[in-house]
Amino acid sequence: MKAQDLLTKAKAGLILDQPFYASLLLKHKMQEDAAAPRIWIDGKTIGYNPQWIETKTLEEVKGLLAHEISHIVFMHNLRRHGRDKEFWNIAGDLVINSILENAGFKLPPERLRESRFDGKPTEEIFNAVYGERPGETPDPEGTPKEEPQQEGKEKAPQEAPSAPGEEETPNNEQSQDQPGESPGEGQGEGQEGSEEGQRQGTGSAPPEFTDPGGTGEVRDFPDPDPTAGAQAEQETKIDIIQAACYAKKHGKLPAELQKYVEELL
């Protein structure tokens, strides 16, 4: 089946069966991105490689769309704050995939899932998997930052890990996405590395592999301005609450999201 047909059918299926995810999905622009290896989201756009989409079943495409939307539900596009992109994606995937599979979604078999992380917030998982990376020493001063890139030199791609369980740094930020835990204030404030944030929102694949889980990547919100980020955070919260109310009315709000949404009210 062609990618466009798969996506259309997947959207229709979500509208009928999973209105929470469908409501949020319909707020995003969909665009083909042949340069991307799989699929990505940044809070405004979902870019996808049509050839890759065509390798998936209809049920998997439904799961992949819900997976990408879940990154926005937990505001992973606004909360990275300079952390390593690859391991932020790993942590986000480990939060999301347990919720989706418990709600009955089907994801590609290569997806990341470890039961020890079920129900834990992204920041906590990030610290764990970042700290487990062999041969690396945690930064005693706090959150790991990306290496500064010298002008005229491209940053060498990191080798994708074979499994989640990589490098840690102490992180004292309040966790924001554990079901039952309210998103904290300021998560939409200025992203580290504004040039990088702008690059990630252009629709072309970033120079690093940032989807080790094989289910799509989350990119930073494309506007690096702190005011725009704060506004996006508030708008996202409103969208989540509205989507949850609609889904709850039809008895189709995933149980693990119920308490999380209540904390947004």
Side-chain angles (χ1 to χ4, degrees), residues 6 44 57 80 86 88 100 107 132 145-146 148 150 154 162 172 184 188 221 233 248:
L6 276 167
K44 287 189 173 182
T57 67
R80 186 169 68 87
E86 184 174 324
W88 184 245
L100 291 179
L107 295 168
E132 292 170 4
K145 302 293 182 183
E146 294 178 357
Q150 294 185 3
E154 292 188 1
S162 56
N172 295 323
F221 186 70
E233 175 190 341
K248 189 175 180 180

Side-chain angles (χ1 to χ4, degrees), residues 90-133:
I90 289 172
D93 284 3
L94 289 168
V95 168
I96 289 167
N97 291 345
S98 63
I99 294 173
L100 291 179
E101 291 188 336
N102 289 342
F105 282 99
K106 181 177 180 180
L107 295 168
E110 62 269 24
R111 92 283 185 264
L112 298 180
R113 176 81 188 270
E114 288 194 31
S115 59
R116 63 181 173 132
F117 293 126
D118 288 1
K120 296 187 181 298
T122 310
E123 286 83 359
E124 182 178 335
I125 297 173
F126 175 88
N127 288 343
V129 297
Y130 195 81
E132 292 170 4
R133 184 175 179 179

Side-chain angles (χ1 to χ4, degrees), residues 65-222:
L65 291 176
H67 175 98
E68 292 301 281
I69 288 299
S70 295
H71 280 301
I72 306 306
V73 171
F74 292 117
M75 303 185 209
H76 292 154
N77 60 323
L78 295 167
R79 289 167 46 197
R80 186 169 68 87
H81 301 308
R83 295 178 181 87
D84 181 276
K85 285 185 295 185
E86 184 174 324
F87 292 98
W88 184 245
N89 268 269
I90 289 172
D93 284 3
L94 289 168
V95 168
I96 289 167
N97 291 345
S98 63
I99 294 173
L100 291 179
E101 291 188 336
N102 289 342
F105 282 99
K106 181 177 180 180
L107 295 168
E110 62 269 24
R111 92 283 185 264
L112 298 180
R113 176 81 188 270
E114 288 194 31
S115 59
R116 63 181 173 132
F117 293 126
D118 288 1
K120 296 187 181 298
T122 310
E123 286 83 359
E124 182 178 335
I125 297 173
F126 175 88
N127 288 343
V129 297
Y130 195 81
E132 292 170 4
R133 184 175 179 179
E136 295 290 336
T137 304
D139 177 0
E141 297 183 359
T143 304
K145 302 293 182 183
E146 294 178 357
E147 291 294 328
Q149 183 174 335
Q150 294 185 3
E151 191 172 342
K153 292 186 178 180
E154 292 188 1
K155 187 176 177 182
Q158 295 180 349
E159 183 178 342
S162 56
E166 324 271 67
E167 239 163 283
E168 172 170 293
T169 345
N171 186 327
N172 295 323
E173 286 191 38
Q174 181 181 358
S175 300
Q176 299 167 15
D177 59 7
Q178 185 175 10
E181 199 169 321
S182 174
E185 295 298 322
Q187 62 200 35
E189 294 178 2
Q191 300 282 347
E192 297 285 340
S194 61
E195 290 182 4
E196 174 187 287
Q198 288 173 316
R199 182 181 69 240
Q200 288 188 327
T202 60
S204 59
E208 298 176 70
F209 181 70
T210 53
D211 178 27
T215 48
E217 65 176 313
V218 59
R219 299 181 180 180
D220 292 342
F221 186 70

